[in-house]
C-alpha cells in the first residue's frame, strides 16, 4: 500500500511538470519575437526591418522639446494661470456670456492676422440667430441655407471690431480667407451661415510660456488630440493683440506606424514635388455647409477596395454632391417615395444626387458605368426616383481631414501607387492616368515588411 501511494505521488508530480513546462519555455519575456515557429502570426516579420529600432515600437507620438527662444524669460506659475484664464471660453447654465476671441483664435492656425480664416473664427456668429421675417425671406433665396436648421450671423461692424480690438488690424488688411463661406445680405450688412458647431477650444493646457526679448508673450498651449500650439501675444494698453497661432506639434498627422511598405519592383519613386501635387489633388478644400464641390478623390480615401465590386456605395455617395445648386428640403413626392425605401431613411438624414452626378463620378473617378455599378449592388443601397432623376442615400461623412502621401511610385504599366499612413498602418492607393485625370483602381490596407 505504501509503495502504491509513492507511485501515485510520483505520477502526479510528473504530470504537473509536463503541464507547466510549455508556459515557461514558449512565452516571450521582453524580447521581440524573431522566431518563425508556427505559433507566430503569419503576418509577423521574421526579422526586424533595418529601418525600425530593435526596441519595442513606441505607440504614442514622440513629442518634441519645447523650444526656448533666445533671450526669453520663462513665465511664472502665476503668469501661466493668468494667461490660461485669458484664453478660457466661459460658459454657464444660462449660456455663454459672449465670445472669447482669444479662445476662438486658438482654434485657428495663422502666421499673421492677415491669414486668419473667417469661417473658423466667426462660424458660431456673434449673437442671436436670425429672427426677422425679411432676413428669413432673403435666406430662402440661397440653396445652402436651410431654415430647418439654426443659422448664425455676424455684422461687418462686429467683425471689424474684433480685428481692431484683438488683432490690431482692420479686416481690410486680411486676405479674407473663408469669407465666401457666408451669405452676405447688403440690407443688414451681415454675414449668415448654417450653424454647424463652433470653434471653441474647451480643453487645453498652457504648458509653459515666455516673455520674449521684444516684449511679446509666447505661450505653448496643449490641445488634446490636436497638438501643441505656439500662441503669440503683443501687450498693448488695453490688453493683448494676437499676433499668430502656429501649430508647433500636430498629433493628428504625427503617426509612427509600422515600417513603410517596400518599393514595388520596377517602380520609379515620385519626387517630393509630385507627392505634394497628389496631396493637393486628394484634399477637400473645406468641410463646411457653403463649400467647394465634393472632392471625390478625397472620398475615395475612405473606401477599402481592391476592385470596383468591393466599393461601399453608402460611404462613397453619403457625403453628397457638395456645392451643387440644389435645395436641402425634400418635396412631399420625394418623402412619399422614400417611405417605400426605409433602408435609405432608417439612419436619419438623407442626401441626394442627380443621376448625371452619379454617372460622372463613377466614370471619371472609378472607370465604371451605372449598369456596371448596379451589378455590384448600387441600386440596392441607393434609391433611384425616376420622377426627379435622382439617387437618394443615407448621409455619411466620408471626408479625410489630412491627406499626406509619404511615398509614391510610377509603376511599369504607367499606374501610380501612393502610400499613406492610416490608422497606425498603411494604405496603398492605385491610380490610372486618363485623359481627364485619374481613376482610382484600389485603396486598401497593405502588409509591411
Amino acid at each position: 500500500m505504501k509503495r502504491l501511494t509513492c507511485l501515485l505521488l510520483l505520477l502526479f508530480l510528473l504530470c504537473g511538470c509536463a503541464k507547466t513546462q510549455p508556459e515557461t519555455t514558449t512565452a516571450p519575456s521582453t524580447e521581440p519575437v524573431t522566431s518563425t515557429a508556427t505559433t507566430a502570426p503569419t503576418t509577423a516579420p521574421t526579422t526586424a526591418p533595418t529601418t525600425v529600432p530593435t526596441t519595442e515600437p513606441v505607440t504614442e507620438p514622440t513629442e518634441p522639446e519645447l523650444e526656448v527662444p533666445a533671450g526669453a524669460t520663462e513665465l511664472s506659475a502665476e503668469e501661466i494661470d493668468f494667461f490660461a484664464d485669458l484664453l478660457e471660453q466661459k460658459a454657464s447654465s444660462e449660456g455663454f456670456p459672449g465670445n472669447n476671441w482669444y479662445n476662438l483664435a486658438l482654434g485657428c492656425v495663422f502666421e499673421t492676422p492677415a491669414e486668419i480664416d473667417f469661417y473658423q473664427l466667426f462660424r458660431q456668429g456673434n449673437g442671436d440667430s436670425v429672427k426677422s421675417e425679411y432676413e428669413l425671406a432673403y435666406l430662402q433665396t440661397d440653396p445652402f441655407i436651410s431654415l430647418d436648421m439654426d443659422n448664425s450671423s455676424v455684422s461687418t461692424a462686429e467683425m471689424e471690431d474684433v480685428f481692431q480690438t484683438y488683432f490690431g488690424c482692420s479686416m481690410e488688411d486680411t486676405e479674407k480667407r473663408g469669407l465666401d463661406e457666408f451669405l452676405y445680405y447688403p440690407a443688414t450688412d451681415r454675414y449668415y451661415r448654417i450653424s454647424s458647431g463652433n470653434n471653441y477650444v474647451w480643453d487645453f493646457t498652457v504648458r509653459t510660456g515666455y516673455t520674449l526679448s521684444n516684449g511679446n508673450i509666447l505661450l505653448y498651449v496643449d490641445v488634446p488630440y490636436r497638438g501643441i500650439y505656439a500662441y503669440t501675444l503683443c501687450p498693448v494698453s488695453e490688453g493683448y493683440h494676437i499676433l499668430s497661432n502656429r501649430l508647433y506639434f500636430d498629433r493628428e498627422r504625427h503617426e509612427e506606424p509600422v515600417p513603410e511598405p517596400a518599393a514595388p519592383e520596377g517602380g520609379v519613386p515620385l519626387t517630393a514635388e509630385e507627392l505634394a501635387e497628389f496631396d493637393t489633388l486628394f484634399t477637400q478644400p473645406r468641410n463646411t455647409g457653403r463649400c467647394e464641390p465634393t472632392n471625390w478623390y478625397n472620398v475615395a480615401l475612405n473606401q477599402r477596395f481592391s476592385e470596383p465590386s468591393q466599393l461601399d456605395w453608402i460611404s462613397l455617395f453619403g457625403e453628397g454632391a457638395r456645392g451643387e445648386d440644389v435645395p436641402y428640403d425634400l418635396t412631399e413626392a420625394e418623402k412619399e417615395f422614400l417611405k417605400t425605401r426605409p433602408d435609405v431613411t432608417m439612419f436619419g438624414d438623407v442626401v441626394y444626387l442627380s443621376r448625371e452626378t452619379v454617372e460622372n463620378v463613377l466614370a471619371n473617378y472609378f472607370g465604371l458605368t451605372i449598369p456596371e455599378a448596379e451589378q455590384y449592388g448600387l441600386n440596392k443601397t441607393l434609391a433611384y426616383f425616376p420622377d426627379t432623376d435622382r439617387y437618394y442615400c443615407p448621409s455619411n461623412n466620408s471626408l479625410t481631414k489630412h491627406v499626406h502621401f509619404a511615398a509614391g511610385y510610377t509603376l511599369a504599366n504607367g499606374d501610380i501607387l501612393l502610400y499613406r499612413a492610416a490608422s497606425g498602418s498603411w494604405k496603398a492607393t492605385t491610380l490610372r492616368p486618363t485623359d481627364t485625370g485619374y481613376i482610382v483602381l484600389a485603396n486598401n490596407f497593405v502588409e509591411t515588411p
Side-chain angles (χ1 to χ4, degrees), residues 128-198:
D128 295 334
S129 297
V130 181
K131 290 183 176 180
S132 67
E133 291 186 5
Y134 62 89
E135 284 177 289
L136 293 174
Y138 180 76
L139 295 185
Q140 285 182 308
T141 65
D142 189 278
F144 296 99
I145 295 289
S146 173
L147 299 185
D148 293 334
M149 303 175 67
D150 290 336
N151 294 280
S152 61
S153 70
V154 56
S155 70
T156 301
E158 289 167 338
M159 286 183 174
E160 181 64 24
D161 182 63
V162 168
F163 275 100
Q164 294 284 356
T165 304
Y166 293 90
F167 299 96
C169 67
S170 169
M171 61 183 291
E172 293 301 322
D173 298 326
T174 73
E175 299 172 11
K176 297 184 180 179
R177 296 183 182 182
L179 189 59
D180 57 355
E181 296 294 332
F182 298 83
L183 173 65
Y184 178 67
Y185 186 21
T188 59
D189 196 23
R190 298 186 73 85
Y191 292 84
Y192 304 83
R193 64 158 291 104
I194 293 175
S195 298
S196 55
N198 56 61

Side-chain angles (χ1 to χ4, degrees), residues 27-148:
S29 56
T30 58
E31 295 296 322
V33 178
T34 57
S35 170
T36 56
T38 56
T39 55
T42 57
T43 57
T46 56
T47 59
T50 57
T51 57
V52 178
T54 56
T55 57
E56 289 289 333
V58 179
T59 55
E60 292 296 324
T62 303
E63 299 189 0
E65 292 186 8
L66 301 178
E67 180 183 355
V68 180
T73 303
E74 188 170 5
L75 299 179
S76 66
E78 291 76 13
E79 289 172 318
I80 293 294
D81 289 342
F82 168 81
F83 285 109
D85 184 70
L86 181 74
L87 267 59
E88 183 181 359
Q89 172 64 49
K90 303 298 191 293
S92 68
S93 58
E94 288 77 30
F96 304 119
N99 290 327
N100 181 354
W101 300 102
Y102 291 114
N103 181 280
L104 288 164
L106 184 58
C108 307
V109 176
F110 54 97
E111 294 285 348
T112 68
E115 300 174 359
I116 288 176
D117 188 311
F118 278 64
Y119 164 71
Q120 294 293 336
L121 189 63
F122 293 109
R123 73 186 190 193
Q124 69 290 315
N126 191 37
D128 295 334
S129 297
V130 181
K131 290 183 176 180
S132 67
E133 291 186 5
Y134 62 89
E135 284 177 289
L136 293 174
Y138 180 76
L139 295 185
Q140 285 182 308
T141 65
D142 189 278
F144 296 99
I145 295 289
S146 173
L147 299 185
D148 293 334

Side-chain angles (χ1 to χ4, degrees), residues 383-399:
Y384 176 68
F385 189 26
D387 290 3
T388 59
D389 199 27
R390 290 176 180 167
Y391 283 92
Y392 300 78
C393 178
S395 178
N396 182 59
N397 189 346
S398 300
L399 294 176

Side-chain angles (χ1 to χ4, degrees), residues 316-344:
L316 179 62
F317 288 111
E319 189 64 42
R322 293 168 171 267
E324 288 196 356
D325 189 16
V326 294
Y328 275 107
D329 301 324
L330 296 174
T331 65
E332 290 301 319
E334 288 172 307
K335 292 177 182 178
E336 288 299 317
F337 165 72
L338 288 175
K339 289 179 181 179
T340 67
R341 289 293 301 269
D343 56 314
V344 174

Side-chain angles (χ1 to χ4, degrees), residues 34 45 97 241 262 270 301 310 407:
T34 57
H241 285 159
L270 300 178
L301 293 180
Q310 298 172 351

Side-chain angles (χ1 to χ4, degrees), residues 284-304:
Q284 174 72 41
R286 192 174 302 280
N287 184 9
T288 68
R290 291 181 58 80
C291 67
E292 298 187 24
T294 301
N295 183 343
W296 299 100
Y297 288 118
N298 183 287
V299 174
L301 293 180
N302 254 346
Q303 292 287 301
R304 186 175 177 180

